[in-house]
Amino acid sequence: MHWGGAGPPLRLRRHLWQARSSQCGSRLYRAVLPDALLSPRGRGFGCRPVVAAARRARGGARAGRAARQPEAHLLRRGGAARERHPGRGGGREWRRAESGGDRAVHVVAGCSDGSAKIWSAGSGECLRTLEGHRDQVTSVTFSPDGQEVLTASDFDDCTAKVWSASSGECLRTMEGHQDGVWSAVFSPSGQKVLTASKDGTAKIWSTSSGECLVTLGGHMGSVWSAAFSPCGREVLTASSDGTVKIWSADTTECLRTLEGHGDIVWSAVFSPDGQQVLTASRDGTAKMWCAGSGECLRTLRGHRVCVWSSVFSPDGQQVLTASVDRTAKVWSAGSGRCLGTLEGHRGGVWSAVFSPDGQAVLTASDDGTAKIWSAGSAECLRTLEVDQRTVMSAAFSPL
């Protein structure tokens, strides 16, 4: 790597030192992050200045770009497209809706110190802290009704926990994995929980009892993420073996295997209609697949290094990716064109998700913050500070 006379940036030097230190408590830094940072695609990214995407659209240049890339100035919602006015559109509308709507929007963030925090998305106030895990919290999400929070934790803990979103009380703990749990999600009905673990398995649990109902085993490496289909009858798993598998949630039969990435697949999700699959990989790309045939439909290239996560927008018209290169990107699901880049984090972006109405984006970063952005203008609306701890996952509450 060439960094010039000053050497690598301070934060990267710290990661490299942690990677070499036998006393480093986080296995993530030792086993994963250094490889991603040192990949050829990541060369030099730490030295590039951070410039907000919204500041690049000014005057006549804005009009010229709009003529060349009309999709980049549209915010799609409910199948309809409306003109986006940078710095003036969806962000403020979303904030007004949040502050004056029937139900307040909350954010939950999982931290490397073993806690999860629930915030008011409108005010930025930290409402409560969920404490009980013995290792970093790798995954967080709300239940479909917003009444509960689900968390997952790494090697020294190996559990998933269900919490009351209102009181912060731990309601039940799901124990059974033999290694760190890196993903935990509710089924569409909220009656089941799906977990993915570095022990090479995914498990389906009863939400109410915490009992393990099904174990899915078949990958040749760690399972980093798992997701239900919109109908809840199929399950996706993404693995270190470079593949994604689609399973029957009822029979545990592996229905098909998606192969095509050149490295670890970190995440996999279904599209809102269940017809497509979206994957993110350490090879620096995200891919869209036909869920029925397993055919790769499209490859999204643009990040300079490992892509940690990828999700569809609620209407399925856009795709959102998060990367170690410190950015999140919004893409057209139809054309694969990059519509915009969210820049502002000082560390790798672990996850990025759309708000339930598609107007906002939430990112979680290694720089110790979560940020809420306008999906229309790429304006950063709010930064949630979590001291010096890595924010590994973040999610909006349902509307």
Side-chain angles (χ1 to χ4, degrees):
M1 290 175 120
H2 177 69
W3 301 98
L10 177 60
R11 191 166 190 84
L12 179 54
R13 291 202 300 271
R14 189 178 74 190
H15 286 317
L16 296 177
W17 177 85
Q18 287 175 315
R20 297 186 182 104
S21 171
S22 61
Q23 301 302 316
C24 176
S26 171
R27 290 163 181 77
L28 170 69
Y29 288 122
R30 294 205 303 271
V32 177
L33 194 54
D35 287 345
L37 288 171
L38 294 174
S39 71
R41 292 185 180 87
R43 186 173 295 124
F45 79 85
C47 295
R48 295 188 63 177
V50 176
V51 181
R55 295 177 184 171
R56 293 202 296 262
R58 291 290 187 267
R62 179 190 303 142
R65 272 197 304 277
R68 293 191 302 272
Q69 296 182 337
E71 285 177 299
H73 286 260
L74 296 177
L75 175 61
R76 295 189 179 277
R77 201 178 165 209
R82 61 185 178 85
E83 184 177 0
R84 188 185 78 197
H85 300 281
R88 186 167 60 85
R92 291 179 185 175
E93 291 174 7
W94 180 80
R95 281 182 290 194
R96 283 198 299 270
E98 195 284 332
S99 60
D102 296 332
R103 184 172 181 174
V105 177
H106 292 160
V107 164
V108 61
C111 307
S112 58
D113 68 351
S115 70
K117 294 181 179 294
I118 299 177
W119 309 73
S120 163
S123 69
E125 176 188 3
C126 182
L127 305 176
R128 60 194 57 86
T129 299
L130 312 180
E131 296 179 304
H133 283 295
R134 299 187 302 274
D135 206 337
Q136 57 195 3
V137 175
T138 54
S139 175
V140 292
T141 190
F142 282 93
S143 59
D145 63 5
Q147 299 302 302
E148 295 178 333
V149 169
L150 177 62
T151 59
S153 186
D154 206 2
F155 179 81
D156 289 333
D157 189 292
C158 302
T159 70
K161 292 179 180 289
V162 178
W163 312 74
S164 165
S166 58
S167 70
E169 176 189 2
C170 181
L171 304 177
R172 63 197 61 87
T173 298
M174 294 158 184
E175 300 179 88
H177 281 295
Q178 303 304 306
D179 207 332
V181 182
W182 268 72
S183 171
V185 295
F186 286 100
S187 64
S189 68
Q191 296 178 2
K192 296 178 181 178
V193 164
L194 173 64
T195 56
S197 170
K198 291 192 291 185
D199 67 10
T201 69
K203 292 179 181 288
I204 300 177
W205 314 73
S206 165
T207 304
S208 58
S209 69
E211 175 189 3
C212 180
L213 306 175
V214 168
T215 297
L216 304 174
H219 282 290
M220 302 302 292
S222 300
V223 180
W224 293 102
S225 81
F228 281 104
S229 62
C231 66
R233 292 194 296 269
E234 294 180 336
V235 164
L236 275 176
T237 54
S239 172
S240 291
D241 64 14
T243 71
V244 171
K245 292 182 182 290
I246 302 177
W247 311 76
S248 166
D250 298 323
T251 67
T252 72
E253 176 189 3
C254 180
L255 304 177
R256 63 194 58 87
T257 299
L258 311 182
E259 299 180 270
H261 278 294
D263 210 324
I264 294 170
V265 184
W266 295 121
S267 76
V269 296
F270 282 99
S271 59
D273 63 6
Q275 298 302 303
Q276 295 182 355
V277 169
L278 176 65
T279 58
S281 171
R282 195 169 71 168
D283 67 10
T285 70
K287 289 180 180 288
M288 297 174 63
W289 313 73
C290 172
S293 68
E295 176 190 2
C296 182
L297 305 174
R298 194 166 293 109
T299 298
L300 308 180
R301 294 184 174 90
H303 285 291
R304 300 188 299 276
V305 70
C306 163
V307 182
W308 282 118
S309 75
S310 56
V311 296
F312 283 96
S313 60
D315 62 7
Q317 299 299 306
Q318 296 179 343
V319 164
L320 177 64
T321 56
S323 172
V324 176
D325 69 7
R326 305 183 180 186
T327 71
K329 290 180 180 289
V330 180
W331 313 73
S332 164
S335 68
R337 176 182 297 173
C338 181
L339 305 180
T341 299
L342 307 181
E343 298 180 284
H345 280 295
R346 301 183 305 278
V349 182
W350 290 100
S351 73
V353 295
F354 284 99
S355 60
D357 63 4
Q359 290 198 31
V361 166
L362 174 64
T363 54
S365 172
D366 183 45
D367 65 10
T369 69
K371 290 180 181 287
I372 301 174
W373 312 73
S374 164
S377 68
E379 174 192 5
C380 182
L381 307 178
R382 189 170 302 283
T383 297
L384 308 176
E385 302 278 352
V386 193
D387 301 326
Q388 300 301 312
R389 293 160 284 186
T390 295
V391 183
M392 305 193 68
S393 178
F396 283 106
S397 63
L399 293 177

